[in-house]
Amino acid sequence: MDANTAVAFAKENGERFVEELKELLRIPSISTDPERRADVRRAAQFCADELTRIGMERVRLIETSTEETMVGVPDGPARIEPGRIGHPLVYAEWLKAPGKPTVLCYGHYDVQPPDPLDEWHSPPFEPTERNGNLYARGAVDDKGQMWMHVKALESLMAAGNGTLPVNVRVILEGEEEVGGEGIAAFVREHGEQLKADVALVSDTEMFAPELPTLCVGLRGMIYTEIEVRGAKTDLHSGMYGGAAPNPFVALAQIIAQLKDAEGRILIPRFYDKVMRPTQAELHAWSSLPFKEEEYREHEVGSVTLTGEAGFSVLERTWARPTLDVHGMPGGFTGAGAKTVIPARATAKVSMRLVPDMTPQESFALYKSYVESIVPKGCTLEVRLIHSGDPIVVSTDNEFVRAATEAMHTVFGKETVFVRGGGSIPIVGDFVRELGIPTVMMGFGLPDDNLHAPNEKFNLGNFHRGIESIVRWLALVGA
Ligand code: BES
Ligand code: MN
Ligand code: MN
């Protein structure tokens, strides 16, 4: 099989590939939204149908939970118990290359919620091309990148008359954006069904346009909720203000004690297991093309950057733990004024973890610290919503070398090795449970607006990504 033939096929069919991706992007597969369950499944089926059409075998949806339990939240709509969300996995295989390595292609077809809607220049689920970019929720994270895998496989199949240069298994999940509990359970219980020599993940970014990049580390995370309770019911703030505890003030006081002004997390022993990157890694990072001032102005857009003193931006975002507050549901948030002392307040708080921290231990330290600083008159509950391990993958293997070679052919440049500040919980399980190396070859760009309004995928990168994956698979099978 000649990789050039497959690349030529990909080029001839590139426009069709984009049109198909648009169809997938029109499906609002928002995994966290119970109202979108049917759409999430529709996206899974769309992927499965395409995998079948291109010639993959034993294509099926794998249910991740049969006992989907709807639990009632007091005063709220029913929700699905966390950890039992139950969006299906999509599996496909083609295992007819005896003696060749087996590649496990991973991606996720679920997306983040699109709000705030009024900041989108075109609607999030109406994919629109502008200036060589495709704008839509999920364009780059991860439908577009997942589609590169499918289209690389299609191109190789076409060039090889229905054969591939390697054995391939495909596993797609629909819960990545909500913690990936379903796929984690499947890997734990049925790991042998995903037996492979290497995993390929395209769900990360390039460090800069035109710069081929392999991601070799991800932060882990714990996503939590703190619920504070004060009075037994909401109270008139004039009649009871001065006597009744206010859970929002209590929560603000708690949050203010989680981090100091420098960004250092104040949870005792939280940093005990943090490993510094190696000198070699730090040295490599310092020669990456990074201009802090440009990053501040164009990517972040704030007056100054924050974070721990004594660490570079790259180290702070890739190799240091962090703590953030995402929202504080509860109380009065409508238009105008309402004089109420709410009975309850909630905060959604997450922490990013780095090697060798563990989610279990980090959560235990956090929980006992929060419980030790509850303000007077309030009680609280600290809940873990989901978690994932931090990871650093090895770069010393033939699969990584093949990736740098493939991308050199496509981009004409040496690959840079970076870490990602984000999390992809299942990657740790590929390494630990399946014992296989993972190649994180992603083609997003720093300004792709992941999880934000106006998410996009650079179409040049979509096509270069397909070509890189074609060439990589061909090299792995050579
Ligand atoms: N693709 C991202 C993770 C990512 C982004 C890694 C950029 C490296 C660079 C992924 O879809 C994601 O957003 N993950 C969530 C995971 C969480 C909900 C468990 C994240 O990082 O917030
Ligand atoms: Mn992703
Ligand atoms: Mn994401």
Side-chain angles (χ1 to χ4, degrees):
M1 208 286 317
D2 177 13
N4 291 326
T5 314
V7 169
F9 178 91
K11 288 197 169 136
E12 278 155 31
N13 291 272
E15 280 181 31
R16 168 171 62 84
F17 293 175
V18 173
E19 292 310 311
E20 294 164 348
L21 171 58
K22 286 183 188 168
E23 250 188 87
L24 175 59
L25 289 168
R26 285 188 194 105
I27 307 174
S29 49
I30 306 161
S31 49
T32 199
D33 186 349
E35 312 252 286
R36 296 295 186 187
R37 285 181 76 68
D39 289 313
V40 176
R41 184 166 294 266
R42 203 148 58 81
Q45 192 60 52
F46 184 95
C47 298
D49 290 347
E50 182 62 7
L51 287 162
T52 304
R53 193 191 65 79
I54 67 168
M56 296 297 290
E57 301 181 340
R58 292 186 61 206
V59 181
R60 61 199 162 99
L61 300 195
I62 298 172
E63 300 304 327
T64 55
S65 165
T66 43
E67 30 159 358
E68 91 187 28
T69 41
M70 302 288 283
V71 295
V73 187
D75 308 333
R79 68 179 161 87
I80 290 165
E81 182 90 287
R84 296 201 186 162
I85 293 165
H87 299 312
L89 302 171
V90 180
Y91 176 82
E93 66 179 35
W94 190 90
L95 302 173
K96 292 174 169 170
K100 300 290 187 184
T102 301
V103 174
L104 177 63
C105 293
Y106 162 88
H108 64 90
Y109 64 82
D110 65 321
V111 301
Q112 288 271 327
D115 52 274
L117 285 174
D118 55 1
E119 287 184 29
W120 286 79
H121 301 310
S122 51
F125 297 108
E126 289 174 27
T128 307
E129 287 183 46
R130 283 196 301 276
N131 309 323
N133 296 309
L134 182 58
Y135 287 85
R137 170 57 84 234
V140 71
D141 185 12
D142 180 42
K143 285 174 172 169
Q145 299 217 65
M146 176 194 77
W147 208 243
M148 297 184 311
H149 288 195
V150 180
K151 296 296 110 178
L153 294 173
E154 175 180 354
S155 303
L156 285 163
M157 281 275 192
N161 290 315
T163 68
L164 294 173
V166 288
N167 299 297
V168 172
R169 296 181 198 271
V170 175
I171 188 82
L172 311 176
E173 68 165 313
E175 295 178 7
E176 195 278 340
E177 300 291 9
V178 287
E181 185 42 49
I183 191 173
F186 183 77
V187 167
R188 267 196 313 272
E189 289 155 28
H190 306 288
E192 74 292 343
Q193 294 183 32
L194 298 181
K195 197 172 172 320
D197 298 289
V198 61
L200 175 68
V201 175
S202 298
D203 192 22
T204 54
E205 314 174 318
M206 298 185 3
F207 190 76
E210 320 281 312
L211 196 57
T213 304
L214 286 178
C215 178
V216 301
L218 294 166
R219 289 197 285 190
M221 77 134 57
I222 49 178
Y223 199 110
T224 79
E225 241 169 36
I226 307 176
E227 182 174 331
V228 178
R229 288 165 180 271
K232 68 176 170 34
T233 181
D234 285 10
L235 297 170
H236 188 295
S237 67
M239 294 165 68
Y240 298 97
N246 185 314
F248 270 100
V249 174
L251 205 40
Q253 288 165 337
I254 292 167
I255 290 168
Q257 293 173 73
L258 293 177
K259 245 168 139 176
D260 70 14
E262 289 276 275
R264 195 174 165 83
I265 297 163
L266 298 172
I267 301 165
R269 298 182 25 236
F270 199 70
Y271 289 89
D272 282 6
K273 300 281 167 69
V274 172
M275 294 228 304
R276 281 304 294 274
T278 62
Q279 281 309 315
E281 221 176 347
L282 288 171
H283 180 75
W285 295 354
S286 69
S287 54
L288 288 169
F290 182 76
K291 297 203 184 75
E292 185 165 325
E293 193 43 30
E294 245 171 59
Y295 169 85
R296 179 197 65 76
E297 189 180 342
H298 298 293
E299 279 191 55
V300 178
S302 60
V303 284
T304 47
L305 294 174
T306 59
E308 288 177 280
F311 298 92
S312 70
V313 168
L314 296 184
E315 195 171 356
R316 298 203 306 270
T317 55
W318 291 349
R320 299 292 297 170
T322 50
L323 181 148
D324 279 288
V325 180
H326 307 286
M328 293 174 61
F332 176 67
T333 55
K338 177 185 181 190
T339 44
V340 65
I341 300 175
R344 289 204 307 255
T346 311
K348 293 183 183 282
V349 180
S350 83
M351 281 140 275
R352 297 280 167 175
L353 312 179
V354 301
D356 284 331
M357 303 170 86
T358 64
Q360 297 74 15
E361 199 181 350
S362 305
F363 180 69
L365 292 172
Y366 161 75
K367 183 170 189 285
S368 61
Y369 177 59
V370 169
E371 286 168 350
S372 76
I373 56 172
V374 193
K376 226 164 64 174
C378 291
T379 58
L380 62 73
E381 197 187 344
V382 183
R383 295 185 287 259
L384 182 64
I385 309 277
H386 62 66
S387 65
D389 287 275
I391 177 125
V392 173
V393 300
S394 84
T395 51
D396 186 20
N397 60 65
E398 63 199 285
F399 305 109
V400 167
R401 283 188 285 279
T404 62
E405 188 182 332
M407 289 197 288
H408 194 274
T409 307
V410 179
F411 292 90
K413 284 192 185 147
E414 292 303 328
T415 296
V416 296
F417 294 86
V418 306
R419 294 204 208 172
S423 312
I424 309 172
I426 198 58
V427 173
D429 296 303
F430 287 158
V431 176
R432 272 184 310 274
E433 300 280 336
L434 303 181
I436 57 174
T438 299
V439 173
M440 289 189 271
M441 193 181 349
F443 299 92
L445 288 177
D447 66 351
D448 275 348
N449 298 320
L450 280 73
H451 295 198
N454 305 304
E455 178 179 350
K456 67 167 175 70
F457 194 4
N458 177 281
L459 285 169
N461 278 4
F462 173 68
H463 298 296
R464 280 187 288 265
I466 294 171
E467 180 174 349
S468 302
I469 293 160
V470 163
R471 293 193 183 282
W472 180 72
L473 288 167
L475 283 171
V476 169

